[in-house]
């Protein structure tokens, strides 16, 4: 019995040992299962996160950025390299794409730089002496705009010469060097080795050629969007303004008004010619103050016309003196008789610069008709409209015509007659032969009025200043500026 009990005890003990071992084994199995679950969940989480980052980076790489955003991104990435590296640690594919894009950019930059410095002379070296005559032309020149500079001298004004240096910009030619390089590459089929080398060169420069073409097209598009700037190639033809004047109370006022009108006109010489035996310091001082280039001369009326009781031919000696000056000093340009009591629109001066022989236009405030003008019918000169014809062939006002200098020099005897009322007609007759179709019609083919014969009101001479009463006052200075006959 004891022995059997012993066996029973042994069996029970062994069963208890087995049960304890199995219990510990089940505990260990549950721990292993939990660890596997945790690892699986972590793997799923990491895989999901990586897939999400890959998809996000792929989406961002496919989305186009504006230039400003790209610039900001580049600034940010360049300023903090650590954040740049950390942002790509979650996505190996994004890092690979970034490396690829960086290498592509570097390749593009290297290719562009290489293509910029690569010239056709390299092709000549590869191909041998058969292309040794090809000139070295940089591919970068296809995207530049050549500037042509030319110098020209204007005509003499007042006996002096003015030189104007100007710059004229020509539109950029198409990138012919790229085409010539490709053509040169394609023409090397004579030798197999040469053809392979040229093909490799053409392949390496294809992207730079596309960039050059794109830049050229961008410059063309930008040229249409920006306002063009025109630089004058030379000064406009010179104008010679002949102004007769004489001593009177309104003299300085009228010269001042006309002078500041002429100050707005470029390349002009003002010939102020006074009906006197000597120049007037007050007139010279006024002309200096205005600042228009001028020549101040005197041309007194002949005594026989001064003594007559009839109408006097005022301004004839002055204008003939101006014609004499122009024959001596001027070779090109246009002359115009501008009286100091008229009103002028400055646009008429720009129009008269380019007349070929004689130009005419209307003048307002003349006679009872209110205007003196050529009559234009069907685009041609068909007569004259004026309040007083008087048998004149050219019934026009003195302010209504101008003459080309070269045309005047071809008629050395042309001058103005001392015949009151017929000064304009006599001068234009002296320019014969002059056909109607040789007369340029200005002011919108004589449909506009740009000059007026205003005629300043006549004022009586100023009375003498009482120097005893107003001594040591400003009136003594002002009295010296008054013009008295």
């Amino acid at each position: 019995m004891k022995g059997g009990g012993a066996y029973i005890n042994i069996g029970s003990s062994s069963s208890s040992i087995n049960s304890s071992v199995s219990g510990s084994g089940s505990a260990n199995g549950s721990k292993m299962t939990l660890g596997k679950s945790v690892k699986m969940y972590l793997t799923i989480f990491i895989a999901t996160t990586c897939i999400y980052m890959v998809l996000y980076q792929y989406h961002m790489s496919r989305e186009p950025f504006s230039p400003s955003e790209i610039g900001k991104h580049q600034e940010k990435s360049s300023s903090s390299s650590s954040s740049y590296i950390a942002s790509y640690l979650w996505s190996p594919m994004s890092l690979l794409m970034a490396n690829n894009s960086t290498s592509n950019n570097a390749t593009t930059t290297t290719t562009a730089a290489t293509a910029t410095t690569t010239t056709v002379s390299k092709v000549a070296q590869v191909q041998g002496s058969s292309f040794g005559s090809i000139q070295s032309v940089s591919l970068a020149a296809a995207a530049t705009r050549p500037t042509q500079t030319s110098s020209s001298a204007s005509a003499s004004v007042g006996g002096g010469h003015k030189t104007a240096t100007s710059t004229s910009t020509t539109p950029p030619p198409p990138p012919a060097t790229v085409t010539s390089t490709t053509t040169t590459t394609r023409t090397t089929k004579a030798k197999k080795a040469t053809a392979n080398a040229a093909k490799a060169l053409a392949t390496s420069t294809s992207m730079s050629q596309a960039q050059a073409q794109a830049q050229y097209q961008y410059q063309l598009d930008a040229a249409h969007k920006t306002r063009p700037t025109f630089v004058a190639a030379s000064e406009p033809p010179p104008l010679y303004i002949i102004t007769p004047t004489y001593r009177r109370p309104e003299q300085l006022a009228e010269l001042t008004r006309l002078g500041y009108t002429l100050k707005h006109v470029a390349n002009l010489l003002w010939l102020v010619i006074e009906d006197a035996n000597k120049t007037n310091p007050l007139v010279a001082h006024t002309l200096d103050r205005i600042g228009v280039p001028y020549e101040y001369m005197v041309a007194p009326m002949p005594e026989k016309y001064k003594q007559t009781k009839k109408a006097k031919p005022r301004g004839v000696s002055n204008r003939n003196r101006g014609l004499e000056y122009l024959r001596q000093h001027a070779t090109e340009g246009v002359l115009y008789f501008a009286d100091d009591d008229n009103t002028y629109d400055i646009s008429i001066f720009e129009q008269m610069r380019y007349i070929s022989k004689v130009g005419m236009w209307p003048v307002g405030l003349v006679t009872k008709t209110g205007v003196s003008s050529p009559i234009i019918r069907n685009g041609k000169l068909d007569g004259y409209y004026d309040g007083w014809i008087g048998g004149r062939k050219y019934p026009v006002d003195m302010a209504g015509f101008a003459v080309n200098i070269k045309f005047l020099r071809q008629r050395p005897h042309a001058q103005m007659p001392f015949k009151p009322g017929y000064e304009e007609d006599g001068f234009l007759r002296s320019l014969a032969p002059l056909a109607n179709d040789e007369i340029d019609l200005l002011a919108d083919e004589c449909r506009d009025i740009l000059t007026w014969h205003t005629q300043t009101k006549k004022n009586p001479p100023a009375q003498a200043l009482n120097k005893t009463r107003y001594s040591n006052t400003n009136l003594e200075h002002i009295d010296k500026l008054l013009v008295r006959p």
Side-chain angles (χ1 to χ4, degrees):
M1 292 296 290
K2 286 184 179 180
Y7 283 113
I8 294 171
N9 291 335
I10 293 172
S12 61
S13 61
S14 63
S15 64
S16 62
I17 292 173
N18 292 333
S19 62
S20 62
V21 171
S22 63
S24 62
S26 62
N28 292 333
S30 62
K31 289 181 179 180
M32 292 178 61
T33 304
L34 179 61
K36 291 181 179 180
S37 300
V38 171
K39 289 182 179 180
M40 180 180 66
Y41 287 129
L42 288 176
T43 303
I44 293 173
F45 174 74
I46 294 174
T48 304
T49 304
C50 291
I51 293 173
Y52 171 75
M53 293 301 296
V54 168
L55 293 177
Y56 175 75
Q57 293 295 334
Y58 177 76
H59 171 72
M60 294 299 293
S61 65
R62 298 290 293 178
E63 183 179 0
F65 287 91
S66 63
S68 60
E69 293 177 350
I70 294 175
K72 293 179 181 178
H73 177 71
Q74 291 176 352
E75 279 185 10
K76 187 174 181 181
S77 62
S78 62
S79 61
S80 58
S81 60
S82 60
S83 61
Y84 172 80
I85 297 174
S87 63
Y88 284 99
L89 289 177
W90 290 96
S91 179
M93 180 175 287
S94 300
L95 184 60
L96 179 60
M97 293 171 60
N99 291 335
N100 289 336
S101 62
T102 305
S103 62
N104 289 335
N105 292 335
T107 304
T108 303
T109 305
T110 305
T111 305
T114 305
T116 304
T117 56
T118 302
T119 60
V120 185
S121 60
K122 287 189 176 182
V123 180
Q125 293 176 2
V126 175
Q127 295 173 349
S129 60
S130 59
F131 294 95
S133 60
I134 298 178
Q135 296 181 354
S136 175
V137 181
S138 175
L139 293 174
T144 59
R145 293 191 176 190
T147 302
Q148 180 180 2
T149 305
S150 60
S151 301
S152 60
S154 62
S156 61
V157 177
H161 296 275
K162 295 182 179 179
T163 303
T165 303
S166 59
T167 303
S168 60
T169 304
T170 57
T177 54
V178 175
T179 305
S180 63
T181 305
T182 306
T183 305
T184 306
T185 307
R186 292 178 179 176
T187 56
T188 59
K189 296 182 180 180
K191 296 181 180 180
K192 183 176 180 180
T194 306
N196 294 334
K199 184 177 181 180
L201 180 61
T203 302
S204 63
T205 59
S206 59
M207 183 171 293
S208 65
Q209 296 173 5
Q211 291 177 352
Q213 181 67 27
Q215 184 177 1
Y216 170 73
Q217 187 63 36
Y218 172 79
Q219 291 177 351
L220 287 182
D221 296 339
H224 294 287
K225 296 178 182 179
T226 58
R227 183 177 180 180
T229 302
F230 298 96
V231 181
S234 61
E235 286 188 334
L239 291 179
Y240 299 93
I241 308 300
I242 299 177
T243 299
T245 185
Y246 63 99
R247 191 178 183 91
R248 64 194 188 280
E250 305 83 17
Q251 182 182 22
L252 299 183
E254 292 184 333
L255 288 175
T256 299
R257 179 179 57 188
L258 175 58
Y260 281 102
T261 298
L262 299 179
K263 199 168 185 177
H264 295 278
V265 184
N267 199 17
L268 174 145
L269 179 63
W270 191 14
L271 303 179
V272 181
I273 307 171
E274 186 168 2
D275 185 357
N277 293 318
K278 61 180 182 179
T279 59
N280 186 349
L282 290 177
V283 174
H285 173 71
T286 301
L287 298 178
D288 289 334
R289 182 173 59 186
I290 294 172
V292 174
Y294 73 91
E295 289 286 345
Y296 180 32
M297 298 172 280
V298 295
M301 182 186 299
E303 289 295 331
K304 62 177 180 179
Y305 298 113
K306 288 182 179 180
Q307 302 300 328
T308 183
K309 296 180 179 181
K310 299 180 181 180
K312 296 180 176 59
R314 293 189 177 275
V316 175
S317 60
N318 314 51
R319 298 184 183 98
N320 285 335
R321 177 68 182 90
L323 295 176
E324 179 183 351
Y325 177 90
L326 294 180
R327 288 190 174 98
Q328 294 175 356
H329 299 91
T331 58
E332 62 178 0
V334 170
L335 75 92
Y336 178 56
F337 299 112
D339 293 346
D340 54 8
D341 60 347
N342 292 344
T343 303
Y344 305 91
D345 187 313
I346 61 174
S347 63
I348 192 62
F349 296 103
E350 299 305 323
Q351 294 183 34
M352 71 174 67
R353 288 185 190 274
Y354 304 98
I355 62 176
S356 57
K357 294 182 179 180
V358 175
M360 292 186 180
W361 57 89
V363 179
L365 302 178
V366 177
T367 67
K368 60 184 180 181
T369 59
V371 64
S372 175
S373 172
I375 300 174
I376 311 303
R377 183 175 282 110
N378 297 326
K380 296 182 180 180
L381 179 60
D382 191 41
Y384 298 91
Y385 181 75
D386 193 275
W388 178 69
I389 302 299
R392 295 180 295 171
K393 180 179 180 180
Y394 300 102
V396 297
D397 188 79
M398 191 71 69
F401 67 93
V403 181
N404 185 281
I405 294 294
K406 292 182 179 180
F407 182 71
L408 174 69
R409 292 176 64 88
Q410 295 172 0
R411 287 142 177 84
H413 302 292
Q415 63 178 358
M416 194 166 290
F418 288 89
K419 188 177 181 180
Y422 292 86
E423 294 91 345
E424 302 92 340
D425 180 66
F427 174 69
L428 292 173
R429 284 176 180 266
S430 67
L431 296 176
L434 176 63
N436 286 348
D437 57 1
E438 295 177 324
I439 298 176
D440 297 330
L441 306 175
L442 307 185
D444 192 16
E445 293 187 349
C446 298
R447 289 179 291 187
D448 197 3
I449 299 177
L450 300 177
T451 56
W452 295 266
H453 193 56
T454 45
Q455 297 182 352
T456 304
K457 173 189 173 183
K458 301 296 181 181
N459 294 274
Q463 65 180 11
L465 178 67
N466 189 339
K467 296 183 178 181
T468 303
R469 182 178 180 181
Y470 299 105
S471 61
N472 299 324
T473 66
N474 64 309
L475 298 182
E476 291 183 333
H477 299 278
I478 295 176
D479 185 70
K480 297 178 181 178
L481 300 179
L482 300 179
V483 178
R484 296 181 174 88

